[in-house]
């Protein structure tokens, strides 16, 4: 506040928010360009790989469950407010699911229903951080992290992943932790690389954090951002609370069951976390201060009925195989994705933005990795129809020819 200029003070709106509102995300810009292009030349001629919006429909049973809920639950309950952390029976269902699936002790008292992972992240960061606190993320990272961290008054600290496998650089992490470190965001399966952190990575990461907690005599929390938890291909994914006590799970049903627009997810504070109860109360306070009165009631009740169901995720695996193998055959180098629905491809030139511009010539809409805090790659969101992937391969071939990549 001290360095706010006089002209800023006279503004009718908050400058910080005005600036944020003006800044459109690169991903959205590409998506908007795609819409324009589709109107001009036909949707089937544009290969839009920009957005992580699930293309596999939610299971049809969900509509039946919604109809049953409408018929059976009194309207004042179905459409009314629930208590702020969520309906008790829904929180119990989520806790039971965690216990059964991950064999980890969970209680409804530490579950807070949210509007997706986005609000879960914003709430947790606000619950944890004050000025001078630092939050570490591994690059490349989901671009909204910067906004949530900076708007919770904390400082974003970036530690790059190892480029050979896109696991976090643990030596870099060790160096980056200071007395001000409050939390680390862990996102596996990862957006944008599609990598999943191996068990040995998680074990070593937990060891480092335990040592640093002792050194600085304060808790450091892991915020495990896991909206892609079920989107894994031929691997097992470690459940972080088993490895590290000070873990907060942030989960969402946006991707696993294709409910992105329903805005529903949860926060789960590990009962083993230091001050778990106070932490939970702070989460309730942060939710309140951010105006999240409660998560949408209808969708809370829906989750209770369909917990454990997923959309047909096998389609993403099929897409991954066709795209990864197809691009490899054309001479591109990509990170082999074991989860999520993103392929991270090395740009044949260091300037990934320039490469994406050129790709537009072949109607290929790719996102430069600079948007994810990392240079020299592009992200391809393969949560599109398998037909689009197959039809796009000749365009990728043209692109490969431009850079003499073809073997
Ligand atoms: N975290 C990551 C890594 C994401 O990729 C996304 C969405 O794409 C989110 C959080 C936000 O998801 P939600 O729709 O659940 O708010």
């Amino acid at each position: 506040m001290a360095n706010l200029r006089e002209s800023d003070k006279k503004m009718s709106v908050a400058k910080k928010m005005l600036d944020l509102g003006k800044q459109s995300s690169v991903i959205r810009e590409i998506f908007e360009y795609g819409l324009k292009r589709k109107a001009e030349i036909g949707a089937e001629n544009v290969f839009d790989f920009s957005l992580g919006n699930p293309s596999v429909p939610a299971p049809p049973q969900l509509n039946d469950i919604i109809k049953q809920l409408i018929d059976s639950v009194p309207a004042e309950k179905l459409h009314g407010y629930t208590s702020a952390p969520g309906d008790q029976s829904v929180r119990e269902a989520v806790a039971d699911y965690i216990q059964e699936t991950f064999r980890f002790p969970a209680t409804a008292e530490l579950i807070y229903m949210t509007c997706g992972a986005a609000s879960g992240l914003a709430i947790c960061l606000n619950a944890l951080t004050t000025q001078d606190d630092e939050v570490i993320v591994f690059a490349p990272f989901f671009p909204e992290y910067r906004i949530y961290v900076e708007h919770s008054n904390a400082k974003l600290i970036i530690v790059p992943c190892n480029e050979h496998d896109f696991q976090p650089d643990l030596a870099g992490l060790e160096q980056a932790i200071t007395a001000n470190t409050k939390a680390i965001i862990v996102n596996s399966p990862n957006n944008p690389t599609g990598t999943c952190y191996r068990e040995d990575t998680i074990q070593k990461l937990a060891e480092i954090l335990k040592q640093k907690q002792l050194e600085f005599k304060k808790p450091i929390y892991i915020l495990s951002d896991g909206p892609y938890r079920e989107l894994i291909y031929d691997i097992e994914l470690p459940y972080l609370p088993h490895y590290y006590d000070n873990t907060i799970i942030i989960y969402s049903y946006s991707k696993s069951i294709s409910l992105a627009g329903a805005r529903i997810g949860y926060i789960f504070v590990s009962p083993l976390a230091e001050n778990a109860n106070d932490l939970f109360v702070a989460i309730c306070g942060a939710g309140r201060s951010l105006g999240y009165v409660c998560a949408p009631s209808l969708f809370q009740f829906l989750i209770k009925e369909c917990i454990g169901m997923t959309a047909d995720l096998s389609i993403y695996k099929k897409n991954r195989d066709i795209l990864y193998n197809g691009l490899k055959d054309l001479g591109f180098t990509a990170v082999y994705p074991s989860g999520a629905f993103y392929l991270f491809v090395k740009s044949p030139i260091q300037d990934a933005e320039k490469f994406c511009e050129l790709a537009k010539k072949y109607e290929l809409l790719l996102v430069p990795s600079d948007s994810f805090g990392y240079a020299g790659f592009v992200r391809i969101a393969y949560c599109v129809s398998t037909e689009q992937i197959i039809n796009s391969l000749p365009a990728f071939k043209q692109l490969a020819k431009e850079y003499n990549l073809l073997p």
Side-chain angles (χ1 to χ4, degrees):
M1 281 293 157
N3 51 15
L4 204 63
R5 288 202 315 260
E6 273 313 303
S7 56
D8 293 343
K9 284 192 208 155
K10 287 194 190 123
M11 289 189 74
S12 56
V13 293
K15 184 168 182 323
K16 201 171 160 185
M17 292 300 157
L18 184 66
D19 290 346
L20 183 59
K22 277 185 193 159
Q23 259 174 41
S24 64
S25 101
V26 174
I27 302 174
R28 285 273 160 192
E29 262 174 28
I30 299 170
F31 175 70
E32 294 299 331
Y33 170 85
L35 290 180
K36 202 179 98 223
R37 217 46 206 133
K38 284 174 194 171
E40 283 165 7
I41 62 168
E44 68 287 3
N45 299 314
V46 181
F47 308 114
D48 183 357
F49 292 104
S50 60
L51 273 194
N53 207 1
S55 61
V56 175
Q61 303 95 294
L62 291 203
N63 288 344
D64 299 334
I65 299 173
I66 292 175
K67 284 179 200 146
Q68 281 161 21
L69 286 170
I70 289 170
D71 291 340
S72 62
V73 181
E76 65 275 18
K77 183 171 176 197
L78 193 63
H79 303 303
Y81 297 125
T82 66
S83 62
D87 176 85
Q88 181 65 18
S89 69
V90 175
R91 296 164 70 202
E92 277 165 13
V94 172
D96 288 349
Y97 178 78
I98 293 173
Q99 298 229 35
E100 279 162 29
T101 313
F102 306 115
R103 304 269 157 225
F104 191 80
T107 59
E109 282 56 49
L110 293 173
I111 306 275
Y112 182 101
M113 300 305 293
T114 62
C115 299
S119 74
L121 283 160
I123 289 172
C124 287
L125 288 162
N126 274 276
L128 285 175
T129 62
T130 50
Q131 217 161 6
D132 295 332
D133 281 339
E134 293 171 357
V135 175
I136 297 179
V137 297
F138 297 112
F141 58 89
F142 178 51
E144 298 304 286
Y145 289 163
R146 180 185 294 284
I147 291 155
Y148 305 145
V149 170
E150 288 177 356
H151 285 266
S152 68
N153 286 319
K155 195 169 157 205
L156 186 81
I157 305 292
I158 301 172
V159 174
C161 280
N162 301 317
E163 193 153 318
H164 64 276
D165 59 0
F166 281 96
Q167 299 282 309
D169 169 7
L170 297 174
L173 170 69
E174 211 167 347
Q175 280 182 359
I177 298 175
T178 70
N180 289 334
T181 304
K182 188 47 91 58
I184 290 170
I185 302 180
V186 173
N187 170 224
S188 166
N190 186 266
N191 175 9
T193 63
T195 44
C196 296
Y197 298 166
R198 293 185 309 261
E199 189 184 26
D200 65 301
T201 304
I202 298 296
Q203 281 165 335
K204 285 179 204 149
L205 189 142
E207 270 320 303
I208 292 172
L209 294 187
K210 283 177 201 167
Q211 269 174 24
K212 291 287 175 183
Q213 289 192 130
L214 285 177
E215 186 182 329
F216 293 116
K217 298 188 182 55
K218 54 168 276 201
I220 301 173
Y221 294 95
I222 289 186
L223 297 181
S224 169
D225 176 29
Y228 301 94
R229 164 107 226 158
E230 288 77 17
L231 279 72
I232 48 173
Y233 314 117
D234 318 319
I235 56 145
E236 285 196 15
L237 199 64
Y239 192 60
L240 262 86
H242 283 298
Y243 300 83
Y244 187 69
D245 290 349
N246 283 330
T247 296
I248 306 173
I249 295 284
I250 295 157
Y251 182 75
S252 133
Y253 297 92
S254 292
K255 318 286 174 170
S256 61
I257 196 161
S258 299
L259 280 181
R263 312 307 304 135
I264 190 79
Y266 65 81
I267 297 167
F268 165 49
V269 175
S270 167
L272 308 178
E274 211 169 309
N275 310 320
N277 292 330
D278 277 359
L279 184 54
F280 190 78
V281 176
I283 283 170
C284 295
R288 186 176 167 195
S289 80
L290 291 167
Y292 290 110
V293 176
C294 64
S297 310
L298 170 62
F299 291 106
Q300 287 194 47
F301 293 118
L302 174 68
I303 290 306
K304 182 179 160 191
E305 300 306 323
C306 71
I307 199 156
M309 273 186 203
T310 61
D312 181 2
L313 305 178
S314 68
I315 297 173
Y316 298 133
K317 181 171 189 289
K318 188 172 165 195
N319 287 358
R320 179 206 58 173
D321 291 343
I322 299 172
L323 189 66
Y324 178 80
N325 293 325
L327 293 196
K328 207 171 122 209
D329 290 347
L330 293 173
F332 288 101
T333 308
V335 181
Y336 185 70
S338 47
F341 40 49
Y342 305 108
L343 187 67
F344 208 52
V345 181
K346 194 158 178 52
S347 166
I349 48 172
Q350 183 55 22
D351 186 344
E353 286 179 21
K354 202 167 160 196
F355 174 60
C356 290
E357 270 311 306
L358 196 111
K360 281 185 183 164
K361 189 166 127 188
Y362 302 104
E363 309 302 344
L364 289 164
L365 306 187
L366 320 174
V367 180
S369 61
D370 309 69
S371 347
F372 305 97
Y374 203 86
F377 282 75
V378 296
R379 186 191 79 171
I380 302 181
Y382 58 79
C383 47
V384 296
S385 68
T386 306
E387 199 189 354
Q388 176 177 323
I389 302 218
I390 295 169
N391 292 344
S392 70
L393 290 175
F396 277 111
K397 189 171 182 179
Q398 295 298 323
L399 190 60
K401 273 189 193 156
E402 293 260 1
Y403 294 99
N404 296 323
L405 297 180
L406 288 180

